């Protein structure tokens, strides 16, 4: 299965990718996670991408992002099992870059799932999101509260707010989404790859719709 999850920040791409990858046994490719990991590890590229771009809600330049994805999709696990892309492509040049990469590997994309989400739900989800500093598990102060306030259920780690989940940066990410990423909806519709689901629903409700458009149980 070779899938793209497309949608605004807060659509729940990460949560859907997690359950879909468990079901289809495919690698979960999140460019956001790749940038956060690189930053945590303190590499030059990781720090530069944070300080200049994603720390302010701006996109990392296409050539850097496409290069990262090319390296990742060329690895054996993706060649064999396919992939679920979460947060890539985010611009038309990235979509063109992906088409080239996939073509070079002798593959085709199966589907692009557009996770349509209302502005109200997006703001509510991102404002309340909390992430475990140790294991990366996601919580929400209201929708998915941990058993003990500020503590991860799974590993006991401290929960924090993602640095780009502050109000000002969220608004910037939404503007960037509208300008640069939203055009991909008609781009993939034109290629007959698009399927739309309503992502205002909780994870399970969206998952049921995704399986339905993929024609699997
Ligand atoms: P969200 O979908 O909630 O905005 P992500 O975890 O997907 O969050 O991405 C976090 C940040 O990483 C983005 O705001 C952007 O700055 C950077 N980023 C992630 N994916 C890409 C991409 N494909 N192209 C450019 N920048 C990206
Ligand atoms: Zn944890």
């Amino acid at each position: 299965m070779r899938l793209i999850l497309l949608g605004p920040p807060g659509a729940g791409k990460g949560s859907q990718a997690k359950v879909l990858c468990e079901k289809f046994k495919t690698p979960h490719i999140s460019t956001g996670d790749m940038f956060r990991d690189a930053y945590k590890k303190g590499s030059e590229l990781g720090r530069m991408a944070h300080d200049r771009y994603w720390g302010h809600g701006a996109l990392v330049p296409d050539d850097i992002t496409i290069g990262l994805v090319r390296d990742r999709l060329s690895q054996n696990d993706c060649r064999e099992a396919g992939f679920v892309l979460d947060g890539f492509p985010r611009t038309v040049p990235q979509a063109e870059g992906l088409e080239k990469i996939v073509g070079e590997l002798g593959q085709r994309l199966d589907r692009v799932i557009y996770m349509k989400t209302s502005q109200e739900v997006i703001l509510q989800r991102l404002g309340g999101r909390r992430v475990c500093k140790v294991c990366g598990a996601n919580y929400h102060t209201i929708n998915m509260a941990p058993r003990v306030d500020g503590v991860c259920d799974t590993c006991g780690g401290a929960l924090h707010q993602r640095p780009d989940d502050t109000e000002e940066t969220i608004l910037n990410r939404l503007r960037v989404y509208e300008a640069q990423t939203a055009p991909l909806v008609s781009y993939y519709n034109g290629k007959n790859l698009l399927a739309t689901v309503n992502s205002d629903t909780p994870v399970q409700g969206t998952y049921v719709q995704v399986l339905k458009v993929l024609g699997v149980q």
Side-chain angles (χ1 to χ4, degrees):
M1 182 70 76
R2 295 185 199 93
L3 272 189
I4 294 174
L5 299 180
L6 178 63
K13 299 184 295 291
S15 305
Q16 280 317 302
K18 188 162 175 271
V19 283
L20 288 166
C21 288
E22 276 162 19
K23 177 162 182 78
F24 295 116
K25 312 261 182 297
T26 49
H28 172 188
I29 315 295
S30 157
T31 40
D33 285 348
M34 288 161 91
F35 290 129
R36 282 185 290 276
D37 282 348
Y39 178 56
K40 242 202 259 174
K41 288 190 181 126
S43 72
E44 177 100 16
L45 175 98
R47 259 181 302 136
M48 186 277 284
H50 169 269
D51 296 351
R52 285 211 217 154
Y53 306 106
W54 69 263
H56 315 284
L59 295 185
V60 179
D62 288 334
D63 54 341
I64 298 178
T65 311
I66 294 169
L68 275 183
V69 171
R70 167 175 282 115
D71 290 348
R72 185 64 190 88
L73 296 189
S74 306
Q75 288 168 16
N76 279 334
D77 58 341
C78 292
R79 286 181 182 234
E80 283 159 19
F83 48 78
V84 175
L85 281 169
D86 155 14
F88 182 93
R90 247 178 165 92
T91 64
V92 170
Q94 289 182 15
E96 291 164 352
L98 175 65
E99 216 161 283
K100 198 158 160 251
I101 295 167
V102 166
E104 283 164 6
L105 292 167
Q107 305 168 339
R108 270 186 329 113
L109 294 172
D110 291 308
R111 216 97 177 96
V112 178
I113 310 281
Y114 170 41
M115 300 174 62
K116 203 168 175 199
T117 318
S118 67
Q119 182 98 349
E120 199 187 330
V121 169
I122 293 171
L123 294 176
Q124 199 265 353
R125 281 184 187 158
L126 295 178
R129 176 156 70 182
R130 298 292 181 273
V131 184
C132 174
K133 272 190 166 171
V134 180
C135 76
N138 269 287
Y139 296 88
H140 188 281
T141 49
I142 296 158
N143 305 344
M144 218 200 294
R147 283 195 297 269
V148 180
D149 197 31
V151 180
C152 178
D153 290 351
T154 324
C155 78
L159 303 185
H160 74 142
Q161 200 166 22
R162 235 171 69 174
D164 58 341
D165 275 348
T166 58
E167 200 174 320
E168 195 191 328
T169 310
I170 289 171
L171 292 176
N172 202 27
R173 281 157 61 206
L174 291 175
R175 275 193 293 269
V176 169
Y177 173 80
E178 282 307 324
Q180 310 221 53
T181 311
L184 292 178
V185 172
S186 55
Y187 177 91
Y188 282 119
N189 195 25
K191 295 189 181 285
N192 281 323
L193 286 171
L194 199 78
T196 303
V197 299
N198 169 8
S199 207
D200 280 350
T201 50
V203 179
Q204 184 60 25
T206 307
Y207 182 55
V208 170
Q209 297 174 64
V210 172
L211 293 183
K212 196 165 165 206
V213 300
L214 293 175
V216 292
Q217 287 293 311

